[in-house]
Amino acid sequence: QSALTQPASVSGSPGQSITISCTGTSSDVGGYNYVSWYQQHPGKAPKLMIYEVSNRPSGVPDRFSGSKSGNTASLTISGLQAEDEADYYCSSYTSSSHVVFGGGTKLTVL
Amino acid sequence: QVQLVQSGAEVKKPGASVKVSCKASGYTFTSYGISWVRQAPGQGLEWMGWISAYNGNTNYAQKLQGRVTMTTDTSTSTAYMELRSLRSDDTAVYYCARARVAVAVPNFDYWGQGTLVTVSS
């Protein structure tokens, strides 16, 4: 199972919006509404930000939103804040009943 | 509050085995599963597998089949991950994460603090 494809890095200024893409295949992202997004700060465990494509766990700001079109899922962060600077990973359920992660995207807040 | 507390760092020689524990609290252990995810130094996240704490069903990543075993002890609400025939590229931080009970979907809402496993001669 190949990793999902994410851009290596994205950047934005405080207050701006950014979108991180996550491209898979019809056997993972395109085939199931089980796409999640995780935020990871250096030296910390990942934190669930979005699950099942567009659902936010309790406590996650509504500045974070998720969507999916075909084989590509997206995470959008609006009103960027300094504390949003982190690595972001997408993940998806697969046709093999497994989980696959993306390679990760480093978000820099300028 | 939900907590997953993992065992401490390990240093192992190539060819050895390691067993990492993950003690859960703050929720009904058998109502969820546990997934294991590892992260090599400076690298991304890699899913290793999943176990249902309800019935012990497991699902392992293809590349680890035959080397990994995941178990649970419901009497102590603890999950275990054993990795055998260790190689240098198994050096990573290993995380446990709470998962769905019946299927290995990536809704990992709580994570352990991570356990560093170093494989070196």
Side-chain angles (χ1 to χ4, degrees):
Chain A
Q1 182 74 47
S2 299
L4 306 176
T5 300
Q6 298 181 233
S9 63
V10 298
S11 63
S13 300
Q16 287 187 330
S17 294
I18 63 95
T19 296
I20 299 172
S21 62
C22 170
T23 301
T25 69
S26 58
S27 296
D28 39 63
V29 173
Y32 306 91
N33 286 326
Y34 287 118
V35 175
S36 299
W37 289 90
Y38 297 89
Q39 176 192 66
Q40 187 180 35
H41 287 109
K44 301 293 188 183
K47 176 185 177 183
L48 180 64
M49 305 302 285
I50 297 287
Y51 68 97
E52 292 173 17
V53 176
S54 59
N55 294 290
R56 274 188 316 276
S58 172
V60 172
D62 60 7
R63 303 184 294 104
F64 291 83
S65 62
S67 62
K68 189 183 84 166
S69 177
N71 296 337
T72 298
S74 299
L75 172 71
T76 298
I77 308 174
S78 58
L80 266 181
Q81 299 183 2
E83 59 261 36
D84 298 334
E85 184 162 296
D87 294 326
Y88 290 83
Y89 295 90
C90 61
S91 65
S92 175
Y93 185 65
T94 79
S95 58
S96 304
S97 302
H98 290 173
V99 171
V100 62
F101 281 97
T105 298
K106 181 177 180 61
L107 169 61
T108 301
V109 180
L110 302 169
Chain B
Q1 72 284 21
V2 174
Q3 278 193 304
L4 298 174
V5 179
Q6 299 183 220
S7 48
E10 304 261 14
V11 179
K12 296 292 183 181
K13 293 195 182 304
S17 299
V18 69
K19 192 170 187 176
V20 179
S21 68
C22 170
K23 184 170 176 58
S25 61
Y27 70 96
T28 302
F29 185 64
T30 52
S31 295
Y32 291 85
I34 294 286
S35 262
W36 290 88
V37 176
R38 69 180 181 178
Q39 186 171 37
Q43 302 302 308
L45 303 174
E46 178 186 12
W47 181 77
M48 299 179 67
W50 162 90
I51 181 168
S52 169
Y54 174 71
N55 57 16
N57 286 350
T58 56
N59 200 340
Y60 301 138
Q62 188 82 14
K63 70 177 283 189
L64 296 174
Q65 285 274 3
R67 285 208 300 140
V68 67
T69 301
M70 297 176 187
T71 56
T72 59
D73 181 343
T74 56
S75 69
T76 60
S77 298
T78 303
Y80 298 91
M81 185 284 300
E82 181 180 32
L83 189 61
R84 299 176 293 279
S85 302
L86 288 168
R87 311 187 288 245
S88 58
D89 62 356
D90 291 318
T91 294
V93 175
Y94 289 74
Y95 293 102
C96 61
R98 193 176 76 163
R100 290 279 181 87
V101 70
V103 65
V105 295
N107 295 12
F108 308 145
D109 56 354
Y110 289 91
W111 293 64
Q113 82 276 19
T115 296
L116 176 61
V117 176
T118 302
V119 183
S120 174
S121 55

